[in-house]
Amino acid sequence: MEGKKVTISVIKADIGSLAGHHIVHPDLLATASRVLAEAKRKGLIIDFYVTGVGDDLQLIMTHTKGEDSPDIHGLAWDAFKKAAQVARDLGLYAAGQDLLSDAFSGNVKGMGPGVAEMEIEERKAEPIITFHADKTEPGAFNLPLFRVFADPFNTAGLVIDPRMHEGFRFQIMDVYEGRVVELSSPEEMYDILALIGTTGRYVVKRIYRKTDGMIAAVVSSERLNLIAGKYVGKDDPVAIVRAQHGLPAVGEVLEAFSFPHLVAGWMRGSHVGPLMPVAQRDAKCTRFDGPPRIVALGWQIKNGKLIGPADLFDDPAFDETRRTAQIVAEYIRRHGPFMPHRLGPEEMEYTTLPQVLEKLENRFKKVETHTGK
Ligand code: F6R
Ligand code: MG
Ligand code: MG
């Protein structure tokens, strides 16, 4: 099967959780696993792994149907629907939250779940990492992925390995306008940064190796509030990154997460906080519903089979990152409802804040100002 095409699909949704927005109940994991096991038995998928990260149910699947397959998306939808029913039966919190529509129409994109899919030609040995974050948004991957694929201070291979030396092509999505642009690193590095520094709008969607166009990374880009037009939950993102053998090493990929950078999405999807890399067992948000967390699962893909996972942030080497994140969390929390801890007005548009402002509208009185108006 070497050289054959295989697709890795990571599809996630928050369809109800235990004790508020804390963790996925084991019965939901079991229900989704049963649906996927049946699909594996029938030969629709090659392999699967079901897990929970914070309040998000995560489906990791391999198959040969390609990206955007109605069969695979339909399967994920079915797994979420059945698990959501269990969530309702158990009285879990926000049961069915991310399933924004009742009728499945061939693709889960735009319907609530987050999706990262990558069709690859399996290499002789195929190490990949799936990332799963909670209480943040797709733009949270902009900074670390830039560092992995464009910053030689993070990734030594950009300097040393001839297969990477030409750099990478970044496909960047404008999530407000639903359009993409491709920019080339290192030549257009500053243009890339000019866009992706605006994390709420421009999202790194895909990254390709320039020497041969090989796909190296993909990120989910769904933003629930933009789809629903109001705040209905957070777009906790997922990503797939290939590693080694002419791509960044697993350790170069992980190194980019050693800085707990500030991301949007904490408490009510309305606050900024540090992204804390954690072991799977610590992927449960508590303090102020956070702080935002990320899990990295390491896999080898063999004939489409998922070998693993290795829980990559389950390592004392990330203890200092976590400690820094705690200090940053402590510092930024003291701002309470003030910016920049609370998001700016553009981002608050999709929360309940506009209703508060509307209520106050006719209590505002015009006064003389010196602004020329
Ligand atoms: C959900 C999340 C939480 C909720 C918060 C309020 O993933 O990020 O911070 O936004 O717990 O939830 P409700 O409005 O459902 O009480
Ligand atoms: Mg939630
Ligand atoms: Mg979540």
Side-chain angles (χ1 to χ4, degrees):
M1 174 128 177
E2 191 184 318
K4 286 251 180 69
K5 290 203 163 161
V6 56
T7 303
I8 304 137
S9 298
V10 181
I11 307 186
K12 50 74 51 180
D14 176 352
I15 45 140
S17 41
L18 173 62
H21 294 277
H22 184 54
I23 53 163
V24 180
H25 189 284
D27 288 5
L28 271 54
L29 300 177
T31 305
S33 298
R34 269 198 296 276
V35 174
L36 298 194
E38 178 61 14
K40 182 176 172 179
R41 199 185 59 75
K42 287 188 179 148
L44 175 58
I45 53 176
I46 303 171
D47 208 356
F48 73 91
Y49 187 81
V50 172
T51 191
V53 170
D55 56 6
D56 294 287
L57 177 58
Q58 311 272 343
L59 313 179
I60 303 165
M61 299 171 282
T62 52
H63 54 91
T64 53
K65 306 271 173 193
E67 295 168 18
D68 287 322
S69 156
D71 292 346
I72 301 302
H73 283 229
L75 173 64
W77 190 256
D78 189 33
F80 290 140
K81 288 276 275 197
K82 292 207 166 92
Q85 189 50 52
V86 175
R88 279 183 207 103
D89 295 346
L90 292 172
L92 296 184
Y93 194 66
Q97 175 191 274
D98 286 0
L99 307 181
L100 300 183
S101 163
D102 287 334
F104 176 70
S105 58
N107 196 305
V108 293
K109 284 184 188 160
M111 298 184 76
V115 186
E117 289 184 295
M118 187 191 267
E119 186 177 54
I120 60 167
E121 259 176 50
E122 200 178 289
R123 295 173 292 168
K124 188 153 169 261
E126 185 64 60
I128 67 158
I129 304 170
T130 59
F131 287 99
H132 312 261
D134 191 31
K135 310 299 183 229
T136 185
E137 59 178 16
F141 282 106
N142 285 5
L143 185 153
L145 288 184
F146 176 83
R147 298 206 62 212
V148 173
F149 291 98
D151 180 359
F153 281 76
N154 181 88
T155 301
L158 292 167
V159 179
I160 296 169
D161 188 331
R163 292 164 296 187
M164 261 193 270
H165 202 76
E166 270 184 47
F168 290 85
R169 192 156 43 87
F170 284 68
Q171 186 192 75
I172 298 162
M173 182 180 250
D174 174 349
V175 292
Y176 280 78
E177 297 290 333
R179 52 185 191 163
V180 294
V181 60
E182 292 206 353
L183 295 171
S184 187
S185 168
E187 311 89 283
E188 298 177 296
M189 186 185 275
Y190 301 156
D191 293 329
I192 293 172
L193 288 170
L195 293 181
I196 69 172
T198 308
T199 46
R201 174 157 190 171
Y202 298 102
V203 173
V204 173
K205 179 68 197 168
R206 283 170 189 275
I207 299 172
Y208 301 92
R209 183 166 68 184
K210 268 160 52 188
T211 43
D212 55 1
M214 179 191 263
I215 177 86
V218 60
V219 182
S220 63
S221 51
E222 287 67 32
R223 290 210 50 192
L224 278 179
N225 49 15
L226 299 181
I227 297 165
K230 61 176 178 2
Y231 183 69
V232 287
K234 204 60 199 175
D235 340 286
D236 308 317
V238 286
I240 307 170
V241 179
R242 293 169 93 180
Q244 306 287 158
H245 202 69
L247 290 173
V250 167
E252 288 170 330
V253 178
L254 299 178
E255 172 68 4
F257 293 86
S258 64
F259 169 56
H261 67 300
L262 292 171
V263 298
W266 197 356
M267 183 49 87
R268 299 176 187 276
S270 305
H271 294 80
V272 162
L275 184 64
M276 186 189 272
V278 291
Q280 173 99 72
R281 67 176 169 280
D282 294 322
K284 38 193 183 185
C285 290
T286 53
R287 184 180 177 188
F288 202 53
D289 284 354
R293 275 155 222 242
I294 185 158
V295 166
L297 301 180
W299 308 90
Q300 292 292 141
I301 311 284
K302 182 64 182 171
N303 296 335
K305 284 218 170 301
L306 285 162
I307 311 302
D311 190 357
L312 297 168
F313 290 138
D314 184 11
D315 181 356
F318 282 92
D319 281 353
E320 280 307 294
T321 306
R322 292 188 270 264
R323 215 174 68 89
T324 306
Q326 308 272 32
I327 293 165
V328 171
E330 185 57 38
Y331 171 82
I332 201 157
R333 272 301 298 129
R334 295 225 207 146
H335 292 78
F338 284 80
M339 286 175 62
H341 182 30
R342 200 213 69 194
L343 296 183
E346 342 67 67
E347 294 278 339
M348 298 302 286
E349 204 180 311
Y350 299 98
T351 70
T352 43
L353 186 70
Q355 292 165 33
V356 177
L357 298 179
E358 204 177 308
K359 192 184 74 185
L360 296 178
E361 186 52 35
N362 55 18
R363 292 178 57 185
F364 275 100
K365 293 192 175 61
K366 207 77 187 133
V367 288
E368 273 309 301
T369 64
H370 299 284
T371 56
K373 289 194 190 143

Short mmCIF file of all heavy atoms in Angstrom, two decimals, residues 14 55-56 134-135 236, ligand 3:
data_model
loop_
_atom_site.label_atom_id
_atom_site.label_comp_id
_atom_site.label_asym_id
_atom_site.label_seq_id
_atom_site.Cartn_x
_atom_site.Cartn_y
_atom_site.Cartn_z
N ASP A 14 -18.55 19.57 19.76
CA ASP A 14 -18.98 19.60 21.16
C ASP A 14 -20.47 19.29 21.13
O ASP A 14 -21.27 20.11 20.69
CB ASP A 14 -18.71 21.00 21.73
CG ASP A 14 -19.21 21.15 23.17
OD1 ASP A 14 -19.91 20.23 23.66
OD2 ASP A 14 -18.92 22.19 23.79
N ASP A 55 -14.33 19.50 26.23
CA ASP A 55 -15.73 19.12 25.98
C ASP A 55 -15.98 18.72 24.53
O ASP A 55 -17.12 18.64 24.09
CB ASP A 55 -16.67 20.27 26.39
CG ASP A 55 -16.33 21.57 25.69
OD1 ASP A 55 -15.46 21.58 24.81
OD2 ASP A 55 -16.94 22.60 26.03
N ASP A 56 -14.90 18.46 23.78
CA ASP A 56 -15.06 18.13 22.36
C ASP A 56 -14.80 16.65 22.08
O ASP A 56 -13.78 16.10 22.48
CB ASP A 56 -14.09 18.98 21.53
CG ASP A 56 -14.46 20.44 21.61
OD1 ASP A 56 -15.47 20.82 21.00
OD2 ASP A 56 -13.76 21.20 22.31
N ASP A 134 -8.84 22.99 22.91
CA ASP A 134 -10.14 23.35 23.50
C ASP A 134 -10.05 24.78 24.05
O ASP A 134 -9.02 25.20 24.55
CB ASP A 134 -10.50 22.37 24.63
CG ASP A 134 -11.96 22.55 25.08
OD1 ASP A 134 -12.80 22.93 24.25
OD2 ASP A 134 -12.24 22.29 26.27
N LYS A 135 -11.19 25.50 23.92
CA LYS A 135 -11.34 26.89 24.36
C LYS A 135 -10.47 27.84 23.55
O LYS A 135 -9.90 28.80 24.06
CB LYS A 135 -11.03 27.08 25.85
CG LYS A 135 -11.75 26.11 26.76
CD LYS A 135 -13.25 26.20 26.72
CE LYS A 135 -13.88 25.25 27.72
NZ LYS A 135 -14.96 24.41 27.13
N ASP A 236 -13.29 25.34 18.74
CA ASP A 236 -12.08 24.62 19.16
C ASP A 236 -11.49 23.83 17.99
O ASP A 236 -12.11 22.90 17.49
CB ASP A 236 -12.45 23.71 20.32
CG ASP A 236 -13.17 24.47 21.42
OD1 ASP A 236 -12.73 25.59 21.74
OD2 ASP A 236 -14.18 23.98 21.92
MG MG B 3 -14.70 22.84 23.46
#
